[in-house]
Amino acid sequence: MKQYYDELETRDPAQREAALLAALPVQIAHAQARSSAMAQALQGIEGAAVRTRADLAQLPVTRKQALFERQKAVRAAGGDAFGGYSTLAYGPAMPRLFASPGPIYEPEGRAADYWRMARAIFAAGFRAGELIHNSFSYHFTPAGSMMESGAHAVGCSVFAAGVGQTEQQVAALQDLQPAGYIGTPSFLKIIVEKAAESGITLPSVKKALVTGEACPPSLRDWLAARGIAAYQCYATADVGLIAYETAAREGLVLDEHVILEIVRPGTGDPLPAGEVGEVVITSLNPDYPLIRFGTGDLSAVLPGMCPTGRTNTRIRGWMGRADQTTKIRGMFVHPKQVDDIAKRFPEVLRARLVVQGEMANDVMTLKVEVHDTEAAQALKPHIAQAVRDVTKLRGDIELCASGEYAASDGVGAGLHHRPGRCRQSHRRRPQLRLSMIYKFKSKAAGDLIMLEANGRQLLKILEKNFPEQQSQGILTVAQMPRAVQAIEEAIAAEDRMHAEATQAGAPSGNSGGAISLRQRLVPFLAMVRRCMQAKEPIVWGV
C-alpha cells in the first residue's frame, strides 16, 4: 500500500530547500505585481534579490490584525473585499469566498486541493474509495470546503455533515458507515457519547483527522480506547495547511508548499531552532500570496526527521498564542470583537472574555463591568445576543460592579480596557429600578442598546420627548445632521459645566465615577455618522 502522499515528502532536505528558495523570489515578484497590499508592504524591495532565508528575514511581517484592518479600510473606501491581498477577481477564477471571524475574507481559487489538505488527510490514514464524514462548517468559514477539496484529491467521497444536529449526525454515521471523521475533536467526542447513550455502535469509524482546537493527549487516548485513531493537523484560512501529524506521533511535519519561520513574538527576528516563538509563514499560493504572514500562533522546531521517513521539518504543534486572540470551539475570537460588543452598550465600562474548559469543551464568559449591576440586568440577554452575533458563539454574561472587575479567572481572551471609560470607585449610584431598554437599529450599523434613563435622555436631546405610551420612532437621514449638532452641543455644555465646577473647587456632576454624557453618547454619534454616510435611517423602540 502507498505509504506517502507523493514523492515530495521523502526528498532530500537540501533539494527541498533549494526548490523553496528558488520559488521565493518568483512569488515575491508576483505578489508585488498582482497584490496591491503586498506591493505596499514590500515597497522598495527587489523581489528577485530575496534568495536566502536571511534575505527573507529582512522583509516586514504582515500580522493577522493588520490584514483585518487593511481589509476593513479598503472596503470602507469602496475597494475590494480582500484589501488588495488577493490576486483574483470575482468570476470563474474565484468560485467561492469565505469569511473568518473579524470578519476577514478569504478567496478560494480553482486549483485542485486549493488548501492543500490532502496531505494531512492521507497521513491520517484515509485512502481512495473511502467515505469521509465531514463535520466542519460549510457556512461562512472555509473549513468544510478545505477538507472536502482535500478529500476529493485523495479520492474519497464526502458526506457534508456540517456542524450541530448531534442525533442526525449519529444516524448518518450509522446509516452510511464512513471510514472516518473529519472535524473538531470535541464534537467527535460528543457524537461518540451520544451514540453510546442511544445504544448505537459506530464500528466503521476507525480514524479521524481533527483540528480547529486543541486535542490534548487525554482526549486522543479517550478516542483510541473507543477504536478511533485521531490525528491532528495545523491549518489556517489564510495559508491553508501548515503541518500535519503522522503515525510517529512526534510533532507535526511541515507541508511541502510553505516556508516556515519561528520568530520572536512581536518582531520579525528568527529564533534558533528549538526556541518557542511565533509561527510566520510565507505562502507559495499565487492567488493569495501572503509573504511573511504572522499567524499569532506559538510553536518550536523539533530536531531530526520524522521516523515515518518524511524528511521535512517538524514543529511541536500549536503551543498557544503570541497575542490575545484565542480559539473557542474551533472559532477564533479577537480582542477587536470584544471591543465591538462593548461599544454597543454605553453602560459597559470594561469587558473581558474568559475561557475555561476541560477535554476541549470550552466555556466562554464575557465579564462586563457596569456601575449598577441590578439596573443592568435587563441588558444581559441583549449582550448575550451581541456576543453570538459578533463571534458566532454562545457565551455566558457576568455583570461586575464598578471597581470589582474580575481579571484573574481562566485564560483571558481579547482583554480590552476602554480608555477613559473606567474610573475606579467603590461608591454606588442610587438604585435606578429600570424596567425598559431602548434599542436603536439600522441596516448600516450594529444595534445600540441603552437603559431606559439613558435612552430618554438621548431622545430629549434630540427633541423627541415622546409621551410615555409612545415606544418607538425613527430618525431619518434628513434629521441626522441636526441630531449630530444637538448631541455635540449637549456634550459641550456638560463639559463646560464640569470644567467650571472643577475650577471653582466644587464637586462636578461627574464625580464618583459616573459616566459622562460624552461617554454615553459617543457610540450613538458614531452610529449616526455611519448611517448618514450609508443613507440609512435609524429606528428605535423599547
Side-chain angles (χ1 to χ4, degrees), residues 394-471:
R394 288 186 173 89
D396 298 328
I397 308 300
E398 180 179 327
L399 300 178
C400 304
S402 176
E404 299 175 4
Y405 187 77
S408 59
D409 298 333
V411 179
L415 173 61
H416 184 79
H417 297 270
R418 302 178 71 186
R421 292 294 302 273
C422 180
R423 291 170 173 79
Q424 297 294 331
S425 173
H426 295 284
R427 295 177 59 185
R428 288 183 61 86
R429 298 167 61 200
Q431 182 63 43
L432 296 178
R433 301 191 183 281
L434 303 177
S435 59
M436 293 197 304
I437 62 167
Y438 279 83
K439 179 182 286 189
F440 298 85
K441 304 181 68 171
S442 174
K443 293 180 180 179
D447 295 353
L448 183 67
I449 296 173
M450 293 185 180
L451 292 174
E452 182 180 10
N454 302 333
R456 289 195 175 280
Q457 183 183 28
L458 170 60
L459 296 179
K460 186 175 181 179
I461 291 170
L462 296 178
E463 299 177 356
K464 290 182 178 292
N465 197 5
F466 294 99
E468 189 72 24
Q469 68 270 19
Q470 189 158 348
S471 60

Side-chain angles (χ1 to χ4, degrees), residues 108-128:
E108 182 181 74
R110 295 196 64 84
D113 192 20
Y114 177 80
W115 311 90
R116 308 182 314 283
M117 297 305 304
R119 196 176 303 282
I121 293 170
F122 187 92
F126 292 96
R127 296 295 182 266

Side-chain angles (χ1 to χ4, degrees), residues 61-352:
V61 174
T62 296
R63 291 190 163 82
K64 203 175 189 83
Q65 185 62 29
L67 187 151
F68 163 74
E69 294 292 351
R70 181 180 171 91
Q71 281 198 358
K72 183 178 178 181
V74 171
R75 288 196 302 271
D80 78 279
F82 309 103
Y85 287 99
S86 173
T87 65
L88 302 177
Y90 295 155
M94 188 195 301
R96 299 183 189 87
L97 59 151
F98 298 95
S100 295
I104 295 175
Y105 294 97
E106 298 99 6
E108 182 181 74
R110 295 196 64 84
D113 192 20
Y114 177 80
W115 311 90
R116 308 182 314 283
M117 297 305 304
R119 196 176 303 282
I121 293 170
F122 187 92
F126 292 96
R127 296 295 182 266
E130 293 181 329
L131 173 64
I132 294 175
H133 185 97
N134 182 12
S135 76
F136 272 119
S137 174
Y138 284 76
H139 175 67
F140 268 80
T141 59
S145 184
M146 291 170 72
M147 294 301 180
E148 181 170 293
S149 60
H152 290 167
V154 172
C156 297
S157 295
V158 176
F159 175 66
V163 297
Q165 300 176 312
T166 309
E167 292 183 358
Q168 289 98 317
Q169 300 263 1
V170 171
L173 286 162
Q174 184 183 30
D175 290 342
L176 299 176
Q177 296 290 302
Y181 163 98
I182 291 180
T184 62
S186 60
F187 192 50
L188 176 56
K189 180 174 183 287
I190 290 170
I191 289 173
V192 172
E193 288 177 330
K194 175 60 72 173
E197 178 186 310
S198 305
I200 297 172
T201 59
L202 304 173
S204 70
V205 182
K206 298 293 187 184
K207 48 202 170 190
L209 178 64
V210 297
T211 188
E213 63 188 11
C215 183
S218 58
L219 180 51
R220 184 189 67 192
D221 294 344
W222 186 94
L223 293 168
R226 289 152 181 82
I228 303 173
Y231 292 87
Q232 300 182 72
C233 70
Y234 171 29
T236 77
D238 316 280
V239 297
L241 180 66
I242 295 175
Y244 58 97
E245 192 172 22
T246 71
R249 304 283 191 184
E250 295 183 8
L252 305 181
V253 178
L254 286 185
D255 178 54
E256 298 293 326
H257 298 284
V258 296
I259 299 175
L260 168 85
E261 299 171 273
I262 303 292
V263 308
R264 193 177 309 282
T267 76
D269 303 333
L271 291 170
E275 289 195 24
V276 177
E278 181 184 5
V279 174
V280 171
I281 296 293
T282 294
S283 167
L284 299 181
N285 178 2
D287 299 339
Y288 204 46
L290 297 178
I291 309 298
R292 298 203 85 198
F293 176 71
T295 64
D297 294 325
L298 296 175
S299 193
V301 171
L302 282 174
M305 295 181 187
C306 180
T308 64
R310 293 173 174 87
T311 58
N312 208 344
T313 301
R314 296 179 300 162
I315 59 175
R316 290 176 61 181
W318 186 82
M319 300 177 66
R321 292 288 298 176
D323 56 19
Q324 288 188 315
T325 302
T326 193
K327 187 173 280 188
I328 304 169
R329 298 193 288 276
M331 297 284 284
F332 275 115
V333 177
H334 303 275
K336 181 65 168 59
Q337 292 174 289
V338 178
D339 182 43
D340 289 343
I341 294 166
K343 283 179 177 177
R344 296 187 180 191
F345 304 92
E347 289 76 15
V348 172
L349 303 176
R350 296 193 296 178
R352 178 183 179 87

